[in-house]
Every structure is written in structure tokens, then in C-alpha cells.
Amino acid sequence: MKRSNRLVVLTEYFIENPRKHIQLPFFVDLCETTKSSVSEDLDIIDNVFQTQGLGYLERTTGAGGGVKYIPEITDVKSLQFVNELREKLEDPNRILPGGYLYMTDILGNPTIVREIGRIFASRFSKLDIDVVVTVATKGIPLAYAVASFLGVPVVIVRRDPKVTEGSSVSINYVSGSSRKIQTMVLPKRSFDEGSNVCIIDDFMKAGGTINGMINLLSEFDAKVQAIGVLVEAEDEEDERVVTDYTSLIKIANLDMTQKDIQIEPGNFLKDN
Amino acid sequence: MKRSNRLVVLTEYFIENPRKHIQLPFFVDLCETTKSSVSEDLDIIDNVFQTQGLGYLERTTGAGGGVKYIPEITDVKSLQFVNELREKLEDPNRILPGGYLYMTDILGNPTIVREIGRIFASRFSKLDIDVVVTVATKGIPLAYAVASFLGVPVVIVRRDPKVTEGSSVSINYVSGSSRKIQTMVLPKRSFDEGSNVCIIDDFMKAGGTINGMINLLSEFDAKVQAIGVLVEAEDEEDERVVTDYTSLIKIANLDMTQKDIQIEPGNFLKDN
């Protein structure tokens, strides 16, 4: 295969298989070429990925050595994306009763969802996450987007047990905003004990739901390494039960009667 | 930018933006090059995509002309993937009460889910779909995977209305398997009337749930152009209320007492 063709094949493979460790002989076979040619191809791809702010190729030498594509996004590009999202959300027609924001259209757009996933995965890139956990329903697409860039599976916490999931572990928790007692369920075979977990959700007010997830995960001896929320509500510092999290967007002010809403970037650039 | 760099940039862009119409001047700017160079690059990429069974570039000439990446997967590759999935599912430990199969681990794997999405999107490639619709919860990741390859949004039907979605339309329907009356809800602002819809779900027994979705969608004057289910249960021909669908996998026999299960490919290669 000629270099020009190899570059297309390899680039496609990396984009579709982030964080997958690949030994060079695999590419040598795939492209019917030599090891030194593949090595030169990887230099080119690594260079373009870095210049374009798409991440980089991590290469290891020696027996079992190979290459892995680590997707990342630059702070400048993240902020630009978040600002575009902010403008979309800062529409008074989005205000719903109870201080919620209508975001269903935004969460229904796979391109936007994938970009959100890229930003969180980029922030949590160094944390050695084994699994992404979310709670049904709205966090699910975001969780898959993050997981696909981290190259790990998704586990979904449910509000109700389902026959299609076998035996399960459940806890009761108090919802921060409504003060109601609710239930959360996770199938027993969800994941290995001691897994490193990243929690993803779409919206956080007081944090009761996320706190419930943390408690449920402790039943599996899981280690919560990161918490990512797309939108955090107005400051509720006295009430907030979760403090260590990464948010992309923050509702700075939401006045239902005046139909006024102000949105600012979350804390995602402050953390690391 | 040199050709080798341009090929990496353009390939990445196409993979991340399937079915997006792009005019050549955009690429001329992005790659700081000439129109004739971009045109040659597109020839190379189109050729590799076709040879590798990844789809093709659709090019239009004249004013407003440009290029669009149409992802596809060959029948051989689809069948190979479905057979691998079959082997995973043909494990007696997956049998759950009621003739269900434990698939949570498979649906939790973003790579597998994306590949399923690629196959459905490939089957429905010519249908001019505007939106993918699914019902909470298990179909959600599959729906996003299909939608991302079709370049369209996802709309999620819920079992219960949520405050965060504004006013909504609901219907009652009879679940085919449990014969219970259930409710389905869709926010009013979900999509334009007359949209071309593709329904995606993970599992179909008698088809009551999908039939419910069809009825709900008729309230929006939506045209159901395609129905895709990952797994269809054993033949229940007398009871099945949905007949025109595409399935990847079919449970041929499931014997709970003998803990025996036989799985075969669905009808996905028979349809077109």
C-alpha cells in the first residue's frame, strides 16, 4: 500500500479506536508494508494530531511495545465550544418550572454530545478510568461519548430494577432538590470490585443524585476518580452535598418571573 | 500543508462528520492549499474508503457543490460482526426469567454499540431519515450510534413525563408481552411534523412497545421509514404486531429449563 493510502487507513483506525494499544506488526499486516514505513507514518499522524489539537500518539518501545491514540482537545477549542453552547442555552424560552433548563434538543444532537464527551475525556485523560457510570436517562448519551474517548465501558444506574438485568444491589437516597426518598439500582454483574470510576451526568443542583451514586458505588468498592456534569445550577453552596466535580456550564442566574437567564462557563478550565 | 498532512486532516474530518455536506473552499482554507489539490486528495480518500469497506465520498459539482462522506459497511463485515456477537450471546448464563437475555455488558461497550449503529445506518442509508427515535432506556446508546452515522438528531420517548421537558403528548398502549397498559410520552417540541423517522430498540418480543411508538409518532404526523431492533425474540408470529423491521440477531430457541439457547443472524441481510 502506498503512503497516501496508508495514512487514510491508519488515521481512520486511530479515530475509531481511541486508547487501544496496537502493536506495530498489526499495522504492518493491515497496510502490507514494512515496520519502518509504519513508523514514519505514525510520525506524520502524531504531528498532525498535535498541530490540529486532536491529541497525540503515545508510543512505547521494546517487546510488546506499540502505539495508542490519546484523544485530547485544547483549552482554546474547549472554551470556544462551551461559549457556543452557552449562547444556545441563554434563551429565555428554555426556562422551565423549578429552575430547570430545556436541553433536550442539545442532548439529542450526537455531534454536540460527542464534543462534550471529548472535553470530559480530555480533562480525565490521566486518571486511569476503568468505567463510566451514569444514571438513567439524560446522562446516558454523555456517558457513552466520554467512554468512547476513554476506551472503557458504560454502566447505567437505574431508578427501578428490570427483569432483564438479573439480581441487583439497591440503595435509598434523599434527592437534594425535592427532598424525596428515591431508589437507585445497579445489577450485581455490573463491574469488578475496586474499579476506578468516572461519574457523568447532565445536570446537578444540590448534588443528591450524584451523592446517591457515590453511595451505591461504595457497595461495589468502586473508587470514584472523577465527576463530570454538563450543567451546574445556580450556587447552592449551603445545600450542595458534592463539591469535587468538573462542570462545563454554570447557570449564574435564573429569574423565572423576569424570564432572565445568565450562563457562564463551568469550572472545567480551573481544575488542572 | 503537504499532501501527507492533508490526508490525515481530511480523513479525520470525514470520520467525525458523516453525511455533512462540505463545500471545497472549506477544505482549501483548512489545508491552506488549492482546489485541485483537495480534489486529488478526495480521490485518494474515496478510493481507500471503498477498498476498505468503510463507505464512499459523494461528490456534487456546480454552484453549491461539494462532498459528503457516506459511511457504509459491507455485508461480509456486517455478518462477521454479527456472528461474533452471536457467539457472545449464546451463553446459557445469559438466560433470565421470562425469556430475556442478559445483554447489559454488550450494550455497555461503546465500540460494539458503535458497530451496531454503523450496520443499521448502512442498511437505512438511502432512506433520507430526519431523526432517530427510541424509547428509554436500553435503546438509547444504539439510537445515538445509528444517528451519529446518519448525521441526524435523536429523540427519546419516555415512560413518564419529566419537568425538564416542558409540555408533552402522551398515549396509552398495551404491552405485547405483559398485556399491561402502559404510557409513552414525547415532548411537544421534539420535532417538526412530517419528519422521516427511524425507530431503534434493543429487543423486540411481540412488538407492543414499537407499535406504541408508531402510534405516538402518528400524533406528530411523522413517517416511520425504518425500524431496527438489535435482537428479536423467538418466533411469535401469531402475536407479533410489527412485521416490517430489520433485526441483527434472532433468538431461534430459548429453553429456560434446559438452560439451552440458540441464536442466529436476524433478517438484516435479507431485506435489500
Side-chain angles (χ1 to χ4, degrees), chain B residues 81-100:
Chain B
F81 171 81
V82 166
N83 278 330
E84 286 167 18
L85 203 53
R86 232 177 83 182
E87 277 178 37
K88 286 197 186 97
L89 289 173
E90 231 161 6
D91 173 353
N93 290 322
R94 292 188 175 276
I95 301 176
L96 294 169
Y100 288 97

Side-chain angles (χ1 to χ4, degrees), chain A residues 124 127-129 195-199 223-227 244:
Chain A
F124 306 151
L127 296 179
D128 208 18
I129 305 290
S195 295
N196 284 327
V197 168
C198 159
I199 294 177
K223 299 188 196 77
V224 178
Q225 300 287 7
I227 297 169
D244 195 8

Side-chain angles (χ1 to χ4, degrees), chain A residues 1 3-9 11-12 15-17 30 44-45 47-49 52 54 69 93-97 100-105 107-111 113-115 118 136-138 140-141 144 147-149 152-156 158-159 162-166 187 189-190, chain B residues 1 3-9 11-12 15-17 30 44-45 47-49 52 54 69 93-97 100-105 107-111 113-115 118 136-138 140-141 144 147-149 152-156 158-159 162-166 187 189-190:
Chain A
M1 210 184 267
R3 159 140 307 144
S4 54
N5 293 10
R6 295 199 308 263
L7 288 171
V8 177
V9 169
T11 301
E12 193 272 342
I15 300 298
E16 289 289 353
N17 296 279
L30 185 68
I44 294 170
I45 295 172
N47 188 271
V48 175
F49 280 0
Q52 299 288 317
L54 296 168
Y69 165 46
N93 290 323
R94 293 187 174 276
I95 300 176
L96 294 169
Y100 290 95
L101 263 195
Y102 181 80
M103 303 200 292
T104 307
D105 55 331
L107 293 175
N109 181 322
T111 312
V113 165
R114 189 162 160 89
E115 216 49 33
R118 194 194 298 271
T137 314
K138 301 213 164 196
I140 296 176
Y144 273 81
S148 76
F149 284 110
V152 300
V154 176
V155 164
I156 301 170
R158 300 184 61 106
R159 310 277 187 181
K162 280 284 263 188
V163 289
T164 53
E165 297 194 319
R189 2 183 173 177
S190 295
Chain B
M1 209 184 270
R3 159 141 306 146
S4 54
N5 293 10
R6 296 199 307 264
L7 288 171
V8 177
V9 170
T11 301
E12 194 272 341
I15 300 296
E16 290 288 355
N17 296 281
L30 185 69
I44 295 170
I45 294 172
N47 188 271
V48 176
F49 280 0
Q52 300 288 316
L54 296 167
Y69 164 46
N93 290 322
R94 292 188 175 276
I95 301 176
L96 294 169
Y100 288 97
L101 264 194
Y102 182 80
M103 302 199 294
T104 307
D105 55 332
L107 293 176
N109 181 322
T111 312
V113 165
R114 190 162 158 88
E115 216 48 34
R118 193 194 299 270
T137 312
K138 300 213 163 196
I140 297 176
Y144 274 80
S148 77
F149 284 109
V152 300
V154 176
V155 164
I156 300 171
R158 302 184 59 107
R159 311 277 188 180
K162 281 283 263 188
V163 288
T164 53
E165 297 194 319
R189 358 184 173 176
S190 296

